[in-house]
Amino acid sequence: MNKDYEVFISYRHKDCNPLAKALHDRLLYRYHINAFRDDEGLHFGDFRKQLIKYNKRSRFLLLLLTPETLTRCHLEGDWI
């Protein structure tokens, strides 16, 4: 898929999935801003490569943080 996005929404599913969906929908339907959220934008294949590709092709990165979001950052292989 060759699609560029205005905003790439980055979040931990466990902590922010409902918020990420609400923001995505608000950006799209109220402001007509094309935003990437991995629940709707990813296809079959390498998950990591696809995330990197769509992140690079987005103009802005919107990182959703909760108090728990950064607790796993010290672990090897953590996405955030």
Side-chain angles (χ1 to χ4, degrees), residues 24-61:
H24 173 271
D25 291 350
R26 175 63 65 111
L27 288 168
L28 181 61
Y29 299 115
R30 180 166 182 141
Y31 300 106
H32 307 287
I33 295 173
N34 195 17
F36 175 88
R37 189 172 67 89
D38 63 357
D39 282 354
E40 297 178 356
L42 290 182
H43 305 283
F44 295 105
D46 188 316
F47 183 75
R48 179 182 293 263
K49 286 181 182 178
Q50 288 187 66
L51 282 181
I52 291 169
K53 177 180 77 172
Y54 286 114
N55 188 353
K56 286 181 179 181
R57 291 172 54 185
S58 298
R59 187 169 177 198
F60 299 100
L61 170 67

